Structures are given as structure tokens and as C-alpha cells.
Amino acid sequence: MRTKLLSLGGVAIAGGGGLLAGAQTWVSFMLDGTHELVEVTGHAANAALSPVAIALVAAALALTIAGPIFRRVLGALVALLGVGMIALTANVIASPLGAVSGRITELTGIAGGASTNMVVWSQLSVWAWVSLAAGVLAVLLGLVIIVLGGRWVAGGRKYDTAGAAAAPAGGTDRISDWDALSDGDDPTADIR
């Protein structure tokens, strides 16, 4: 039970951490001839970060009610989403100015590689590394879910379809009693 709670919480934290990190400034730069500091958020640097992080949060929610087989499928999905978050973040970390070249072109009117020559100062913030860590956490937890997810306790009778379909051996159940009342019959008439 403890592994389940830690895994589900960790996946939700990885998704939430990715969303939070993406909303923060990742790349700051200053152009030649200006003293204006331009800041670009993670979501602006790579728009695909938001859907990946949201999908991680949704996977954490789906894992709360998933059966043993579907848990493993969701574990693989969580691991793949983590790999995606790592790849998207690594692109920005590897080339911060390349990731914000669209914004530089917007400000200078110069396109291509020459636009980055206009930058006199740039800085990558720690939030990009937070996003990378969230992706690594998602990959690790996805692997844990694949291996251990089949052993977790099921969601309970509320989500069990086999128990809901069968009527009790004694005759009626609550649903049939309500149906009898709706038809104008007294379900307690035979009890005496």
C-alpha cells in the first residue's frame, strides 16, 4: 500500500513539477544595443512541455482506479512521458539561445543563426533543471509501476463490475426494490 501511495504521489508531483517549472523563466537574455532583460518561460521555449506534464497528472489520477493490467500499461505511459519531458527539456538546456531564437527574431527582425549573434548576455535558470528532474522522476516511477503495480490492492467494490451485476442469493436487492416501488409494487409485501 505504501508503494502505491508513494508512486501515485510521485507521478502527480512529477507532472505538477513539470507544469510549475514550465511556467517559470528558463532563459534570460539581453540584446546588443539595449539594456532590456528579456525573459522566456519554459512553456514559451517549448510548447510541448505543458501537455506532457498534464498527461502525467492525468495518469496519476487514472492509476487510482486502474486494474492490475492497466496499471502496467499506465506505468509504461508514465515512463514514456518522463522520457518525453527529459528530451524536451534537454533541447532547451543544450541550446538555450536556439530554443528562444523565435523570440530573438521577433525582437530584432533577424532570422536564422545571425539572430543569436545579437545576444550579448544570456542565462539559463534552475527551472529547466527542475523540469529535467521531474522527467527523471517520472521515468523511475513508471518503471516501479510496471514492476510492482500488479500487486497493488484494487480500487474496491465501488469499481468492481462483477459484484454489481450479480443479485444476492436471497432474491431481491436494493435496485430491484426501487424498481418495484417505481412500478407501484410494495417490495416488502412478501416479508412477514
Side-chain angles (χ1 to χ4, degrees):
M1 183 68 159
R2 184 176 173 96
T3 306
K4 179 180 180 179
L5 292 176
L6 289 175
S7 298
L8 294 178
V11 173
I13 288 171
L19 279 174
L20 175 66
Q24 307 303 317
T25 299
W26 280 22
V27 180
S28 302
F29 62 91
M30 200 174 291
L31 294 172
D32 189 21
T34 68
H35 295 289
E36 179 184 351
L37 181 67
V38 180
E39 297 179 337
V40 180
T41 65
H43 296 305
N46 198 329
L49 283 168
S50 296
V52 171
I54 291 169
L56 279 171
V57 173
L61 292 173
L63 279 165
T64 61
I65 60 170
I69 295 171
F70 194 54
R71 277 187 223 127
R72 290 190 172 119
V73 172
L74 286 172
L77 177 66
V78 166
L80 288 174
L81 288 169
V83 168
M85 186 176 285
I86 291 170
L88 293 170
T89 305
N91 285 339
V92 177
I93 291 173
S95 176
L97 291 180
V100 297
S101 63
R103 180 74 175 128
I104 297 170
T105 299
E106 203 177 284
L107 294 170
T108 63
I110 300 172
S115 66
T116 57
N117 293 337
M118 299 292 297
V119 177
V120 293
W121 176 84
S122 67
Q123 180 180 5
L124 181 69
S125 80
V126 71
W127 287 106
W129 296 102
V130 170
S131 178
L132 187 71
V136 170
L137 178 64
V139 170
L140 294 175
L141 289 172
L143 295 175
V144 166
I145 293 167
I146 291 170
V147 173
L148 301 176
R151 298 184 213 155
W152 293 349
V153 178
R157 284 185 5 187
K158 180 176 181 181
Y159 301 107
D160 188 13
T161 57
T172 64
D173 62 359
R174 292 181 188 175
I175 295 173
S176 63
D177 288 346
W178 277 108
D179 289 341
L181 282 172
S182 297
D183 292 338
D185 297 328
D186 182 7
T188 61
D190 295 334
I191 302 174
R192 289 185 203 224

